[in-house]
Amino acid sequence: MKTCKAIQISQEQTMSVVQIPRQEMKDNEVLIRLQYVGFCGSDLSTYLGKNPMVKMPVIPGHEVGAVIEAVGKDVPEGLKPGMVVTVNPYTNCGNCASCRNGRVNACQHNETLGVQRDGAMREYLVLPWEKIIPAGLLTPRTCALIEPMSVGFHAVSRAQVTDIDVVVVIGCGMVGMGAIVRSAQRGATVVAADIDDEKLALAKKMGASYTINTLTDDVHARLLEMTSGFGPDVVIEAVGSPVTYQMAVDEVAFTGRVICIGYAKTEVSFQTKFFVQKELDIRGSRNAQPSDFRAVIHYIEKGNCPVDELISREVKPEEAHEAMQEWAAHPGKVFRILVDFR
């Protein structure tokens, strides 16, 4: 039996490199060799024992830069060995209400790689060909940034952002950066809000017109000043905190749109009068559609994405546990940690 190297989280704050059986490829599947895989916030939550959707032990990871190793006989000719690819890490059942409505990203029974099922932190991975996304001219290293940015791109679609909107993005991690980029591409005036000045500076490079440090600035006063007293048309919540959820509802303009990406770990209390008085559209945004992946690839191919600034650290599998420990100690200072499986 062939085996391959993998990273496994076996219990809270315990991560190790293990050997696992290498998957067998079926006729409709593709075997990829992983080059780079990114750690995301859900992986950190899993490591800390705070991810209720995960059953230990688990192989984390769903932000993928890879090369096709082999293809099954029923795989379309457009997918060939040697191609650089990323992957759509979500499953969809085809039968639930979301799938029936064509919104497969929000499948009721979705199983994301590294969350509800073993993920991509391994040397080799087999997936159905439909989940393989060709990455054009991008490198595998850059491909590991595509999935989290695509989640931000999808949130902007959910918000129906246009060029007359003022959009506030709360949280300037990778997902928030994707929302900033896509909002700016659509011509909106973008305000980035975060507690870290370094992230806010990078947000400006990625398309934000204004920044707000929510720790040191008067958020309400600044937003009224920027919007002639109206408030922002759209607020995208990309943190997952009761404070930022409340901020989104409080600060959005009358008849505005609030888009929720982050999962709050505790209950959130609202003044529900704003829901009615403002006639708000409050919408969830989950995962991403294939078109969002393609849009991110197109954006990065143009050469305007500061890729190197989004990658905080690159480590080998044997160094991953140490890197995760350091991230857990300083969570606000990390964009992406990439694990190099080459």
Side-chain angles (χ1 to χ4, degrees), residues 120-160:
M121 286 280 176
R122 63 178 87 185
E123 291 179 292
Y124 293 94
L125 179 65
V126 170
L127 290 169
W129 70 262
E130 295 92 342
K131 299 300 180 181
I132 304 298
I133 301 175
L137 301 176
L138 301 187
T139 66
R141 176 176 178 263
T142 301
C143 285
L145 303 179
I146 293 171
E147 191 274 342
M149 292 191 73
S150 72
V151 176
F153 272 46
H154 182 66
V156 173
S157 295
R158 292 283 293 142
Q160 298 176 296

Side-chain angles (χ1 to χ4, degrees), residues 157-231:
S157 295
R158 292 283 293 142
Q160 298 176 296
V161 170
T162 73
D163 59 349
I164 62 172
D165 288 323
V166 175
V167 179
V168 175
V169 178
I170 306 175
C172 295
M174 280 294 298
V175 171
M177 290 296 187
I180 289 167
V181 168
R182 196 56 164 166
S183 296
Q185 286 182 331
R186 292 190 175 200
T189 300
V190 185
V191 182
D194 200 279
I195 62 174
D196 186 273
D197 286 332
E198 292 181 15
K199 288 184 176 181
L200 291 172
L202 185 54
K204 277 231 171 182
K205 293 183 180 181
M206 300 190 74
S209 298
Y210 304 98
T211 61
I212 295 176
N213 186 313
T214 56
L215 284 181
T216 59
D217 292 335
D218 184 331
V219 176
H220 183 68
R222 289 286 310 282
L223 288 177
L224 290 181
E225 178 186 351
M226 294 172 186
T227 60
S228 302
F230 292 107

